[in-house]
Amino acid sequence: MKDDFKHKGMRKKLVETLIKKGIADESVLDAINSVPRHLFMDSGFVSHAYVDKAFPIAADQTISQPYTVARQTELLEVKKGDKILEIGTGSGYQTAVLLEMGAVVYSIERQNELFKKTKLFLPKIGYRPKKLIFGDGYQGYEEEAPYDGIIVTAGAPSVPKVLLSQLAIGGRLVIPVGRSLQIMTVYMRKGPKEFDKKEYGEYRFVPLLEDKN
Ligand code: SAH
C-alpha cells in the first residue's frame, strides 16, 4: 500500500481546497494532510480520493466528503488525549483523522462487513483506535462514558438522548440531525442537565439506522 509523492501532492491540494471552503483549524488541516485517504477506498479509485466528494465504500455506505470530515472534526474541538466516541466507523477515515489529532478513539459500526474490514485495515496502516465496537450507535457506549466528544457520522432523524447523557461536562456532541437533509448540530454539556445547542448549516448523510442486527 503506497503513499508516494503524488498522493502527498494531491493531499496538499485538497487541504488548500478545504482552507478556501473555510476550514481554519490547523490541527484538523494537518490531520487531513497526513491521512492517506486513497488507502480507504478500493484500489482503482485513487483519482477520486483527493477530490472533495463523498464516495461509495462497502455495504452501500459512503466515506464522508473531506470537507464534512474536516468541519465535523473542527466543531468537535479535539484536544490531544481527549476521549472521543465515533458513531459510524465506516471506512475508518474519520477515525484515522481523530487518531492523527491525538484523540483516544472508540468507534461503533452496525454493519458487520464494514466493522470486520476496518478493524483489520486500520492497524495495517498504523492507526490504533482504543476500541472498535460492533453494535448499535443509538445506544452510545456506556462502558467507557463519559466522553470529551461524540461524533455521529450518519444522519440522525432525532438526537438520541443517551448520547447526551454520555458526554462529560464541557464535552461536545456533533451530530447531523434530520431525515433527507441534516442540520449539523453541536450540543455542549454545561452541567448535568444543561446543554448549549448550536446549528451549522445543511448536509446530506447516509441514515443512522436503528439496530437491525
Ligand atoms: N465515518 C465514516 C462514515 C461512514 S458513513 C467514514 O469516515 O468512512 C456512516 C456509517 O454509519 C456507515 O458505515 C453506517 O453503516 C453506520 N451506521 C449507520 N447507523 C448506525 C448505527 N445505528 N450504529 C452504528 N453505525 C451506524
Side-chain angles (χ1 to χ4, degrees), residues 36 41 51 90 103 137 161 178 212:
M41 303 161 99
V51 286
K161 294 277 176 297
K212 292 197 186 78

Side-chain angles (χ1 to χ4, degrees), residues 5-46:
F5 73 94
K6 235 178 42 213
H7 301 118
K8 291 190 172 111
M10 287 194 276
R11 227 155 38 235
K12 217 159 172 219
K13 284 223 172 78
L14 173 64
V15 167
E16 283 160 16
T17 306
L18 296 180
I19 294 171
K20 281 197 196 112
K21 290 187 176 179
I23 303 299
D25 185 325
E26 291 289 337
S27 62
V28 173
L29 294 166
D30 284 350
I32 301 269
N33 199 33
S34 304
V35 180
R37 189 170 187 264
H38 61 286
L39 300 181
F40 291 74
M41 303 161 99
D42 291 331
S43 54
F45 295 113
V46 173

Side-chain angles (χ1 to χ4, degrees), residues 57 61-64 69 86-95 108-111 114 135-138 153-154 206-211:
I57 51 173
Q61 300 302 322
T62 57
I63 177 169
S64 300
V69 172
E86 177 190 22
I87 315 287
T89 315
S91 69
Y93 177 68
Q94 171 77 69
T95 316
I108 312 180
E109 173 57 55
R110 69 178 284 282
Q111 290 268 6
L114 276 173
D136 178 17
Y138 260 97
T153 71
V206 295
L208 184 71
L209 298 169
E210 299 267 9
D211 193 20

Side-chain angles (χ1 to χ4, degrees), residues 3 6 22 27 47 57 78 94 106-107 126 129 131 135 144 146 151 168 177 181 195 206 213:
D3 184 33
K6 235 178 42 213
S27 62
S47 64
I57 51 173
V78 183
Q94 171 77 69
Y106 296 81
S107 185
K131 193 165 188 191
E144 291 292 335
I151 176 170
V177 185
L181 197 69
F195 295 87
V206 295
N213 294 307

Side-chain angles (χ1 to χ4, degrees), residues 101-173:
M101 295 178 74
V104 176
V105 185
Y106 296 81
S107 185
I108 312 180
E109 173 57 55
R110 69 178 284 282
Q111 290 268 6
N112 201 15
E113 180 191 349
L114 276 173
F115 165 75
K116 285 196 287 200
K117 189 173 171 193
T118 301
K119 194 177 158 84
L120 278 177
F121 170 69
L122 280 175
K124 260 194 212 156
I125 59 164
Y127 290 112
R128 292 188 170 72
K130 190 81 188 211
K131 193 165 188 191
L132 294 181
I133 302 130
F134 173 52
D136 178 17
Y138 260 97
Q139 309 309 318
Y141 189 61
E142 186 61 40
E143 286 87 332
E144 291 292 335
Y147 301 95
D148 301 305
I150 302 180
I151 176 170
V152 180
T153 71
S158 63
V159 181
K161 294 277 176 297
V162 66
L163 297 184
L164 291 171
S165 77
Q166 292 179 10
L167 279 181
I169 307 294
R172 300 162 74 82
L173 167 65

